Amino acid sequence: MIFFVSDLHLSPRSPGATALFLRFLSGRARQAEALYILGDLFEVWVGDDIDDPYHNRITAALRAASEAGLKIFIMHGNRDFALGEQFAAAAGARLLPDPYDLTLPEWSFVLSHGDALCLDDLAYQAYRAKVRDPEWQRKMRAKPRFLRSLLGRYIRWRSGRRKRDNSYIYADLQPAATDDFLRDHGYTTFIHGHTHRAATHDHIVDGIHVERWVLADWHEDRGEALCWDGETLIREAILPES
């Protein structure tokens, strides 16, 4: 059994989602062979050397699950793009490239955060190109911690302002680019997050039926994991203890 999650956006400002994820890690997730976190585990991450009790708690919980036998794989999102090998080692996890081809004995998948295919959002693509640039990240990580902490606060503020705008809608994947992506990856089942639009889409590419599963984002009172049981994909709700 394998679990896929994304867009948890964990921060001290999301105690409900944090509690859901910690309970998931210490319970249901440990019944699986592996957990794939496809981006935006954290609301913001500005360097592995940022030391604070909240993020240390999440890292320790990941490490405990890893030591209990759960294989943990983490992909960068648009918020936690600065996650590095120091964090991965501390968490007992492995960082994955985006996209990542997952070949299992019974089926194959292609995994991605999904944001690279939201090509119609030109402003976001310009932002993504900047923050994913290795040289920009090197310069960012070289800045003093307090400046990077200010950057994190700015990212959170900008996100909060956007969420308060009820007219804002996350850009979806561009259809033609998505079909090209599916073609390039051998028409395998596509799993991604980013858009906060949990759904299952059917694509017909070159006459071949391909499924695209969009992962749900997490909230204070509900999370969701996509479970592969060896035969089918099933969505599992992660709810508070009753």
Side-chain angles (χ1 to χ4, degrees):
M1 181 168 59
I2 294 174
F3 282 117
F4 304 92
V5 300
S6 75
D7 298 285
L8 291 85
H9 293 275
L10 299 181
S11 83
R13 295 170 178 77
S14 60
T18 301
L20 289 175
F21 183 61
L22 292 176
R23 188 160 64 86
F24 174 67
L25 277 181
S26 64
R28 176 64 170 148
R30 298 196 186 189
Q31 299 174 22
E33 173 188 348
L35 168 65
Y36 288 82
I37 303 172
L38 303 187
D40 287 350
L41 170 61
F42 295 106
E43 176 71 0
V44 65
W45 188 272
V46 292
D48 290 1
D49 61 337
I50 298 297
D51 185 20
D52 68 76
Y54 176 83
H55 292 92
N56 291 344
R57 183 184 179 199
I58 302 299
T59 302
L62 289 165
R63 162 64 70 175
S66 173
E67 291 179 346
L70 179 66
K71 297 176 183 177
I72 302 174
F73 303 90
I74 300 178
M75 186 174 287
H76 294 103
N78 51 293
R79 298 300 185 81
D80 50 15
F81 56 82
L83 287 172
E85 293 297 342
Q86 181 180 333
F87 162 77
R94 174 186 164 193
L95 294 178
L96 293 181
D98 184 357
Y100 179 76
D101 292 299
L102 174 61
T103 302
L104 304 174
E106 62 277 359
W107 203 253
S108 294
F109 303 93
V110 57
L111 313 178
S112 175
H113 182 54
D115 59 331
L117 293 173
C118 297
L119 297 178
D120 292 330
D121 190 341
L122 300 180
Y124 172 74
Q125 289 301 324
Y127 162 81
R128 185 182 190 277
K130 179 178 72 174
V131 301
R132 296 297 185 105
D133 179 70
E135 181 62 16
W136 185 91
Q137 288 197 16
R138 185 191 66 78
K139 292 179 179 178
M140 186 273 292
R141 290 189 176 99
K143 294 183 184 297
R145 292 184 185 182
F146 81 92
L147 286 179
R148 283 180 281 135
S149 295
L150 289 176
L151 172 63
R153 291 180 184 179
Y154 169 73
I155 293 173
R156 286 194 296 267
W157 170 81
R158 187 178 64 178
S159 171
R161 185 180 67 172
R162 184 181 64 185
K163 289 177 181 177
R164 289 190 294 270
D165 180 1
N166 293 328
S167 66
Y168 180 82
I169 300 175
Y170 281 86
D172 207 349
L173 280 63
Q174 189 182 81
T178 301
D179 285 353
D180 285 343
F181 179 89
L182 296 173
R183 183 179 294 112
D184 291 343
H185 288 271
Y187 312 98
T188 56
T189 301
F190 182 18
I191 301 175
H192 70 87
H194 179 66
T195 65
H196 296 198
R197 298 178 184 179
T200 305
H201 300 276
D202 295 301
H203 292 256
I204 304 299
V205 185
D206 303 331
I208 300 171
H209 172 237
V210 187
E211 288 188 343
R212 174 167 66 93
W213 289 72
V214 186
L215 300 172
D217 56 321
W218 286 45
H219 300 268
E220 288 295 89
D221 59 351
R222 179 186 176 90
E224 185 180 281
L226 183 64
C227 175
W228 170 253
D229 64 5
E231 295 182 356
T232 58
L233 288 167
I234 305 169
R235 297 183 186 272
E236 289 193 13
I238 312 299
L239 301 172
E241 291 181 297
S242 57

